[in-house]
Amino acid sequence: MHELAQNTKSALFSLCQQYVKQRIDTARQAMEAAQEAANSESKSSAGDKYETGRAMAQLERDRNAQLLAGALQLERDLQQITIDKTYESVQPGSIVTTNRGAYFISIGAGKLLLGDDAYFGVSAGSPIAVALAGRKAGEVAAFNKMMYEVLSVV
């Protein structure tokens, strides 16, 4: 059981890393495209059109810079997760299986598919993870007016 759990954690961790890498790459590409758009705006006889175009491209670049900063923070958060140990209670790095689904307490990566099994990558600060925090197998947590029975924690 322990080896299977570690393999599952490693696979989920890898999926989270791929998710973060994709977000970083997408934000960087969008930033570069916006910067190129700003640089390629040429002065025209319209005058204000040039300034407006550059300002719009700069706003787009700044928005994508914020997305990149968020993705880099996710990467740092993921690096703080310890997956090479088994947990008895729900905490960062654990996989918790409930009567309503399975969760990998790591980063907010959404639905993670491993074969036919679905897990939800959630950050430790997410409402569901906060509700489940510290719970052990057999315990119950209330979240969103529903009861979540913890079936297992690894």
Side-chain angles (χ1 to χ4, degrees), residues 116-139:
D116 293 336
D117 298 325
Y119 297 83
F120 294 94
V122 296
S123 71
S126 69
I128 185 66
V130 169
L132 293 169
R135 300 287 196 283
K136 296 179 181 179
E139 296 183 348

Side-chain angles (χ1 to χ4, degrees), residues 15-136:
L15 288 173
C16 287
Q17 287 176 314
Q18 291 171 23
Y19 170 81
V20 169
K21 182 182 180 330
Q22 181 182 8
R23 289 208 31 193
I24 290 171
D25 291 346
T26 300
R28 280 195 174 130
Q29 290 168 1
M31 263 181 63
E32 289 168 7
Q35 188 62 51
E36 285 177 28
N39 293 344
S40 68
E41 281 288 330
S42 59
K43 194 92 169 166
S44 69
S45 59
D48 284 348
K49 178 180 178 247
Y50 164 77
E51 293 302 326
T52 301
R54 284 187 63 88
M56 294 298 289
Q58 185 63 40
L59 286 173
E60 183 68 13
R61 185 196 171 288
D62 292 347
R63 186 181 71 78
N64 288 310
Q66 288 178 331
L67 291 175
L68 177 60
L72 291 171
Q73 181 61 50
L74 273 181
E75 184 176 52
R76 287 188 294 276
D77 293 346
L78 189 59
Q79 290 170 351
Q80 300 299 313
I81 302 297
T82 302
I83 62 167
D84 58 355
K85 66 184 244 185
T86 302
Y87 298 95
E88 289 186 21
S89 63
V90 178
Q91 57 190 289
S94 64
I95 297 173
V96 56
T97 305
T98 73
N99 60 324
R100 300 191 180 277
Y103 301 89
F104 178 43
I105 313 300
S106 55
I107 61 168
K111 192 174 192 176
L112 304 169
L113 295 175
L114 281 183
D116 293 336
D117 298 325
Y119 297 83
F120 294 94
V122 296
S123 71
S126 69
I128 185 66
V130 169
L132 293 169
R135 300 287 196 283
K136 296 179 181 179

